Amino acid sequence: MLACPDNENVAHRAEVAFVNCVERTHPLAFGFRRFFAFSFFIDPLSEVPRNWTLFSQVWQFTARLSPPFELGLRMGQPSEPFVLQFKVRNDPEEEKIFFEQAVMKGVWHRIVFELLPAHVGGQSPGRLSVWLGETAGPVSEAPIARYEGFWGYKPGPTKRGRLPQRCEHDAYDLFELRFGIYRRKQERRLRMLFDNIVYADSFQAAR
């Protein structure tokens, strides 16, 4: 995304969304353990953001609320390194940054997520694990971070929104995977590339 004047009221978005409510044969939903992976590259001329910037989300079809999981870039000064920021949310709008990791520009990285959402009031907590490595080789067997707890919103409609028109049936228990840049309009430039996107039932298939 090109640099442009700061504007707190305008956001720019260049995302791809998949695993949505239209196809229920292989859902990402409460009680299902799935794996999501992709490779990403931050262009060497990119600048550390000065306002919020996301590049992957697990978005829930329930309320147009903030995503229950998001992967973003930490705000900072241009001279600082790029830092990945992993954040989860649940029903009481509890927000938690559970991990941060510096990454290099100009290098391809491979990231794998284990996704097991669970809302507050459910029978047991969920889990969200993260593996990260360079694409010159596979990611290691051991995750670099793991969150065990509730993340996701209780299924059902709310006052803040309705389901998208493409959803032909009740989809409040489903999640959508998104990747691509979504950020507040700002004067710092950011260019990212994505490749080798995988949605799978196992870590070995995703890595």
Side-chain angles (χ1 to χ4, degrees):
M1 286 189 173
L2 298 177
C4 52
D6 286 5
N7 189 326
E8 291 291 331
N9 299 314
V10 177
H12 284 169
R13 184 192 300 267
E15 291 183 307
V16 174
F18 67 108
V19 189
N20 57 36
C21 62
V22 176
E23 179 57 67
R24 273 186 174 264
T25 59
H26 204 71
L28 174 59
F30 291 115
F32 289 85
R33 179 172 174 256
R34 305 295 189 210
F35 291 82
F36 173 49
F38 58 86
S39 300
F40 69 94
F41 177 93
I42 302 174
D43 188 274
L45 297 179
S46 295
E47 301 169 291
V48 173
R50 62 184 298 172
N51 210 319
W52 63 263
T53 300
L54 310 181
F55 69 93
S56 185
Q57 304 180 54
V58 175
W59 190 83
Q60 188 175 351
F61 292 102
T62 187
R64 298 292 197 276
L65 297 169
S66 298
F69 168 69
E70 64 184 50
L71 170 58
L73 298 171
R74 191 175 70 188
M75 295 179 285
Q77 299 300 318
S79 60
E80 294 178 343
F82 274 78
V83 176
L84 307 183
Q85 196 171 71
F86 301 81
K87 184 182 295 185
V88 291
R89 298 182 179 87
N90 60 34
D91 269 319
E93 280 297 294
E94 179 184 354
E95 182 176 287
K96 180 180 179 63
I97 297 172
F98 71 91
F99 187 66
E100 292 186 325
Q101 174 68 44
V103 293
M104 294 178 59
K105 296 188 293 184
V107 176
W108 277 98
H109 301 275
R110 182 69 175 168
I111 192 163
V112 181
F113 302 102
E114 176 194 23
L115 304 171
L116 179 61
H119 62 85
V120 173
Q123 293 184 349
S124 59
R127 185 167 60 251
L128 203 158
S129 305
V130 181
W131 291 262
L132 181 67
E134 294 185 6
T135 53
V139 297
S140 65
E141 293 284 344
I144 60 169
R146 173 167 287 160
Y147 174 79
E148 295 192 354
F150 296 101
W151 63 278
Y153 304 115
K154 185 177 180 180
T158 75
K159 296 179 181 179
R160 293 193 60 178
R162 296 179 297 177
L163 291 172
Q165 291 184 353
R166 65 181 180 274
C167 298
E168 299 176 354
H169 40 60
D170 185 354
Y172 294 110
D173 62 327
L174 296 184
F175 295 81
E176 185 171 74
L177 298 173
R178 299 180 179 182
F179 66 93
I181 300 171
Y182 176 40
R183 69 173 190 166
R184 182 64 68 200
K185 188 177 179 182
Q186 53 193 282
E187 292 183 341
R188 295 182 186 168
R189 57 190 167 184
L190 176 63
R191 182 172 182 260
M192 297 183 69
L193 304 177
F194 299 89
D195 195 11
N196 195 17
I197 300 100
V198 177
Y199 176 64
D201 286 335
S202 70
F203 170 70
Q204 293 301 328
R207 67 185 300 204

Short mmCIF file of all heavy atoms in Angstrom, two decimals, residues 70-104:
data_model
loop_
_atom_site.label_atom_id
_atom_site.label_comp_id
_atom_site.label_asym_id
_atom_site.label_seq_id
_atom_site.Cartn_x
_atom_site.Cartn_y
_atom_site.Cartn_z
N GLU A 70 -6.32 -11.78 15.52
CA GLU A 70 -5.71 -10.97 14.47
C GLU A 70 -4.18 -11.02 14.58
O GLU A 70 -3.62 -11.13 15.67
CB GLU A 70 -6.17 -9.51 14.54
CG GLU A 70 -5.77 -8.77 15.80
CD GLU A 70 -6.34 -7.35 15.85
OE1 GLU A 70 -7.56 -7.20 15.62
OE2 GLU A 70 -5.56 -6.43 16.14
N LEU A 71 -3.55 -10.98 13.43
CA LEU A 71 -2.11 -10.88 13.33
C LEU A 71 -1.79 -9.55 12.69
O LEU A 71 -2.24 -9.27 11.57
CB LEU A 71 -1.55 -12.03 12.48
CG LEU A 71 -0.07 -11.94 12.09
CD1 LEU A 71 0.84 -11.85 13.31
CD2 LEU A 71 0.31 -13.14 11.21
N GLY A 72 -1.05 -8.72 13.40
CA GLY A 72 -0.75 -7.39 12.90
C GLY A 72 0.71 -7.03 13.07
O GLY A 72 1.53 -7.83 13.53
N LEU A 73 1.02 -5.81 12.68
CA LEU A 73 2.36 -5.26 12.84
C LEU A 73 2.32 -4.20 13.93
O LEU A 73 1.47 -3.32 13.92
CB LEU A 73 2.84 -4.63 11.53
CG LEU A 73 2.97 -5.60 10.34
CD1 LEU A 73 3.23 -4.83 9.05
CD2 LEU A 73 4.08 -6.61 10.59
N ARG A 74 3.24 -4.30 14.87
CA ARG A 74 3.28 -3.35 15.98
C ARG A 74 3.66 -1.97 15.48
O ARG A 74 4.54 -1.81 14.63
CB ARG A 74 4.29 -3.82 17.04
CG ARG A 74 4.22 -3.05 18.35
CD ARG A 74 5.15 -3.65 19.38
NE ARG A 74 6.56 -3.40 19.02
CZ ARG A 74 7.58 -3.96 19.68
NH1 ARG A 74 7.36 -4.79 20.69
NH2 ARG A 74 8.82 -3.68 19.31
N MET A 75 2.99 -0.96 16.00
CA MET A 75 3.31 0.42 15.64
C MET A 75 4.66 0.81 16.22
O MET A 75 5.07 0.31 17.28
CB MET A 75 2.22 1.36 16.16
CG MET A 75 0.87 1.14 15.53
SD MET A 75 -0.40 2.26 16.21
CE MET A 75 -0.68 1.49 17.81
N GLY A 76 5.36 1.70 15.54
CA GLY A 76 6.66 2.13 16.05
C GLY A 76 7.27 3.21 15.19
O GLY A 76 6.63 3.79 14.32
N GLN A 77 8.56 3.46 15.43
CA GLN A 77 9.31 4.45 14.68
C GLN A 77 9.92 3.80 13.44
O GLN A 77 10.17 2.58 13.41
CB GLN A 77 10.41 5.04 15.56
CG GLN A 77 9.92 5.74 16.79
CD GLN A 77 9.00 6.91 16.46
OE1 GLN A 77 9.27 7.68 15.52
NE2 GLN A 77 7.91 7.04 17.20
N PRO A 78 10.18 4.60 12.39
CA PRO A 78 10.71 4.02 11.15
C PRO A 78 12.01 3.23 11.34
O PRO A 78 12.28 2.29 10.59
CB PRO A 78 10.93 5.25 10.26
CG PRO A 78 9.96 6.27 10.78
CD PRO A 78 9.89 6.04 12.26
N SER A 79 12.81 3.61 12.31
CA SER A 79 14.10 2.95 12.51
C SER A 79 13.98 1.63 13.29
O SER A 79 14.95 0.88 13.38
CB SER A 79 15.05 3.88 13.27
OG SER A 79 14.50 4.24 14.54
N GLU A 80 12.82 1.34 13.83
CA GLU A 80 12.63 0.14 14.63
C GLU A 80 12.40 -1.08 13.73
O GLU A 80 11.99 -0.94 12.57
CB GLU A 80 11.45 0.33 15.58
CG GLU A 80 11.69 1.39 16.64
CD GLU A 80 10.49 1.58 17.54
OE1 GLU A 80 9.39 1.14 17.17
OE2 GLU A 80 10.64 2.21 18.61
N PRO A 81 12.63 -2.30 14.25
CA PRO A 81 12.37 -3.50 13.45
C PRO A 81 10.87 -3.77 13.30
O PRO A 81 10.06 -3.26 14.09
CB PRO A 81 13.05 -4.61 14.27
CG PRO A 81 13.00 -4.11 15.68
CD PRO A 81 13.19 -2.63 15.57
N PHE A 82 10.51 -4.56 12.32
CA PHE A 82 9.14 -5.01 12.17
C PHE A 82 8.86 -6.09 13.23
O PHE A 82 9.65 -7.02 13.39
CB PHE A 82 8.90 -5.58 10.78
CG PHE A 82 8.52 -4.55 9.76
CD1 PHE A 82 9.50 -3.73 9.20
CD2 PHE A 82 7.20 -4.38 9.37
CE1 PHE A 82 9.16 -2.77 8.27
CE2 PHE A 82 6.85 -3.41 8.44
CZ PHE A 82 7.83 -2.61 7.89
N VAL A 83 7.75 -5.94 13.93
CA VAL A 83 7.39 -6.87 15.00
C VAL A 83 5.96 -7.37 14.75
O VAL A 83 5.03 -6.57 14.63
CB VAL A 83 7.48 -6.22 16.39
CG1 VAL A 83 7.00 -7.19 17.47
CG2 VAL A 83 8.91 -5.77 16.67
N LEU A 84 5.80 -8.71 14.66
CA LEU A 84 4.48 -9.31 14.55
C LEU A 84 3.80 -9.27 15.91
O LEU A 84 4.41 -9.53 16.94
CB LEU A 84 4.58 -10.77 14.08
CG LEU A 84 5.37 -11.05 12.81
CD1 LEU A 84 5.29 -12.53 12.48
CD2 LEU A 84 4.88 -10.21 11.66
N GLN A 85 2.50 -8.99 15.89
CA GLN A 85 1.72 -8.90 17.13
C GLN A 85 0.50 -9.81 17.01
O GLN A 85 -0.30 -9.66 16.08
CB GLN A 85 1.30 -7.46 17.37
CG GLN A 85 0.82 -7.15 18.76
CD GLN A 85 0.64 -5.65 18.97
OE1 GLN A 85 -0.28 -5.05 18.40
NE2 GLN A 85 1.52 -5.05 19.74
N PHE A 86 0.39 -10.76 17.94
CA PHE A 86 -0.69 -11.76 17.92
C PHE A 86 -1.69 -11.42 19.01
O PHE A 86 -1.32 -11.34 20.19
CB PHE A 86 -0.11 -13.16 18.15
CG PHE A 86 0.91 -13.58 17.13
CD1 PHE A 86 2.23 -13.15 17.21
CD2 PHE A 86 0.55 -14.41 16.07
CE1 PHE A 86 3.18 -13.54 16.28
CE2 PHE A 86 1.49 -14.81 15.13
CZ PHE A 86 2.80 -14.37 15.23
N LYS A 87 -2.96 -11.28 18.64
CA LYS A 87 -3.97 -10.78 19.59
C LYS A 87 -5.24 -11.62 19.52
O LYS A 87 -5.69 -11.98 18.42
CB LYS A 87 -4.29 -9.32 19.27
CG LYS A 87 -5.24 -8.64 20.21
CD LYS A 87 -5.53 -7.20 19.75
CE LYS A 87 -4.30 -6.34 19.80
NZ LYS A 87 -4.62 -4.91 19.47
N VAL A 88 -5.84 -11.92 20.67
CA VAL A 88 -7.11 -12.65 20.74
C VAL A 88 -8.13 -11.84 21.52
O VAL A 88 -7.79 -10.98 22.34
CB VAL A 88 -6.93 -14.04 21.40
CG1 VAL A 88 -6.13 -14.97 20.51
CG2 VAL A 88 -6.31 -13.93 22.78
N ARG A 89 -9.44 -12.14 21.26
CA ARG A 89 -10.54 -11.49 21.97
C ARG A 89 -11.63 -12.53 22.26
O ARG A 89 -11.73 -13.54 21.58
CB ARG A 89 -11.15 -10.36 21.14
CG ARG A 89 -10.22 -9.22 20.81
CD ARG A 89 -10.95 -8.14 20.03
NE ARG A 89 -10.10 -7.02 19.71
CZ ARG A 89 -9.32 -6.95 18.62
NH1 ARG A 89 -9.34 -7.95 17.75
NH2 ARG A 89 -8.56 -5.90 18.39
N ASN A 90 -12.48 -12.21 23.28
CA ASN A 90 -13.63 -13.06 23.56
C ASN A 90 -14.83 -12.21 23.93
O ASN A 90 -14.81 -10.99 23.79
CB ASN A 90 -13.29 -14.11 24.62
CG ASN A 90 -12.87 -13.50 25.94
OD1 ASN A 90 -13.36 -12.44 26.32
ND2 ASN A 90 -11.94 -14.15 26.64
N ASP A 91 -15.89 -12.84 24.42
CA ASP A 91 -17.18 -12.17 24.60
C ASP A 91 -17.17 -10.90 25.44
O ASP A 91 -17.76 -9.91 25.05
CB ASP A 91 -18.21 -13.14 25.18
CG ASP A 91 -18.98 -13.85 24.08
OD1 ASP A 91 -19.33 -13.17 23.10
OD2 ASP A 91 -19.21 -15.05 24.19
N PRO A 92 -16.52 -10.88 26.58
CA PRO A 92 -16.54 -9.63 27.36
C PRO A 92 -15.67 -8.55 26.75
O PRO A 92 -15.35 -7.57 27.41
CB PRO A 92 -15.99 -10.07 28.73
CG PRO A 92 -16.08 -11.55 28.76
CD PRO A 92 -15.90 -11.98 27.34
N GLU A 93 -15.28 -8.74 25.49
CA GLU A 93 -14.37 -7.82 24.81
C GLU A 93 -13.02 -7.78 25.50
O GLU A 93 -12.33 -6.77 25.49
CB GLU A 93 -14.98 -6.40 24.72
CG GLU A 93 -15.97 -6.23 23.60
CD GLU A 93 -15.31 -6.42 22.23
OE1 GLU A 93 -14.47 -5.62 21.83
OE2 GLU A 93 -15.69 -7.39 21.55
N GLU A 94 -12.68 -8.86 26.16
CA GLU A 94 -11.33 -8.97 26.70
C GLU A 94 -10.36 -9.12 25.54
O GLU A 94 -10.53 -9.94 24.66
CB GLU A 94 -11.23 -10.19 27.61
CG GLU A 94 -9.83 -10.38 28.19
CD GLU A 94 -9.73 -11.64 29.02
OE1 GLU A 94 -10.76 -12.30 29.24
OE2 GLU A 94 -8.61 -11.96 29.44
N GLU A 95 -9.32 -8.29 25.54
CA GLU A 95 -8.36 -8.27 24.46
C GLU A 95 -6.99 -8.60 25.03
O GLU A 95 -6.58 -8.04 26.05
CB GLU A 95 -8.35 -6.89 23.80
CG GLU A 95 -7.42 -6.74 22.63
CD GLU A 95 -7.56 -5.37 22.00
OE1 GLU A 95 -8.58 -5.12 21.33
OE2 GLU A 95 -6.65 -4.55 22.20
N LYS A 96 -6.28 -9.50 24.39
CA LYS A 96 -5.00 -9.93 24.93
C LYS A 96 -3.98 -10.10 23.81
O LYS A 96 -4.23 -10.84 22.85
CB LYS A 96 -5.15 -11.26 25.68
CG LYS A 96 -3.84 -11.79 26.28
CD LYS A 96 -4.09 -13.09 27.01
CE LYS A 96 -2.80 -13.66 27.60
NZ LYS A 96 -2.22 -12.78 28.62
N ILE A 97 -2.86 -9.40 23.92
CA ILE A 97 -1.71 -9.65 23.05
C ILE A 97 -0.92 -10.78 23.70
O ILE A 97 -0.33 -10.60 24.76
CB ILE A 97 -0.84 -8.39 22.89
CG1 ILE A 97 -1.64 -7.27 22.22
CG2 ILE A 97 0.41 -8.71 22.08
CD1 ILE A 97 -0.93 -5.94 22.19
N PHE A 98 -0.94 -11.96 23.09
CA PHE A 98 -0.32 -13.10 23.76
C PHE A 98 1.09 -13.40 23.26
O PHE A 98 1.80 -14.23 23.85
CB PHE A 98 -1.20 -14.35 23.66
CG PHE A 98 -1.30 -14.98 22.31
CD1 PHE A 98 -0.43 -15.98 21.92
CD2 PHE A 98 -2.30 -14.59 21.43
CE1 PHE A 98 -0.54 -16.58 20.68
CE2 PHE A 98 -2.42 -15.19 20.19
CZ PHE A 98 -1.53 -16.18 19.80
N PHE A 99 1.52 -12.71 22.19
CA PHE A 99 2.88 -12.96 21.72
C PHE A 99 3.30 -11.86 20.74
O PHE A 99 2.47 -11.32 20.01
CB PHE A 99 2.97 -14.33 21.03
CG PHE A 99 4.36 -14.74 20.66
CD1 PHE A 99 5.30 -15.00 21.64
CD2 PHE A 99 4.74 -14.88 19.32
CE1 PHE A 99 6.60 -15.38 21.30
CE2 PHE A 99 6.03 -15.26 18.99
CZ PHE A 99 6.96 -15.52 19.98
N GLU A 100 4.60 -11.55 20.75
CA GLU A 100 5.19 -10.64 19.77
C GLU A 100 6.51 -11.24 19.28
O GLU A 100 7.22 -11.89 20.05
CB GLU A 100 5.45 -9.26 20.37
CG GLU A 100 4.18 -8.50 20.71
CD GLU A 100 4.45 -7.08 21.17
OE1 GLU A 100 5.48 -6.87 21.85
OE2 GLU A 100 3.63 -6.18 20.86
N GLN A 101 6.81 -11.02 17.99
CA GLN A 101 8.02 -11.61 17.41
C GLN A 101 8.56 -10.70 16.32
O GLN A 101 7.84 -10.34 15.39
CB GLN A 101 7.70 -12.99 16.82
CG GLN A 101 8.84 -13.63 16.07
CD GLN A 101 9.99 -14.04 16.98
OE1 GLN A 101 9.75 -14.60 18.05
NE2 GLN A 101 11.21 -13.76 16.57
N ALA A 102 9.84 -10.31 16.43
CA ALA A 102 10.48 -9.50 15.39
C ALA A 102 10.77 -10.36 14.16
O ALA A 102 11.13 -11.53 14.29
CB ALA A 102 11.77 -8.89 15.92
N VAL A 103 10.61 -9.78 12.98
CA VAL A 103 10.92 -10.46 11.72
C VAL A 103 11.71 -9.52 10.82
O VAL A 103 11.65 -8.30 10.95
CB VAL A 103 9.64 -10.93 10.99
CG1 VAL A 103 8.93 -12.02 11.75
CG2 VAL A 103 8.70 -9.76 10.72
N MET A 104 12.44 -10.10 9.89
CA MET A 104 13.26 -9.33 8.97
C MET A 104 12.48 -8.99 7.71
O MET A 104 11.66 -9.78 7.23
CB MET A 104 14.51 -10.13 8.59
CG MET A 104 15.48 -10.36 9.72
SD MET A 104 16.91 -11.35 9.17
CE MET A 104 17.57 -10.29 7.86
#
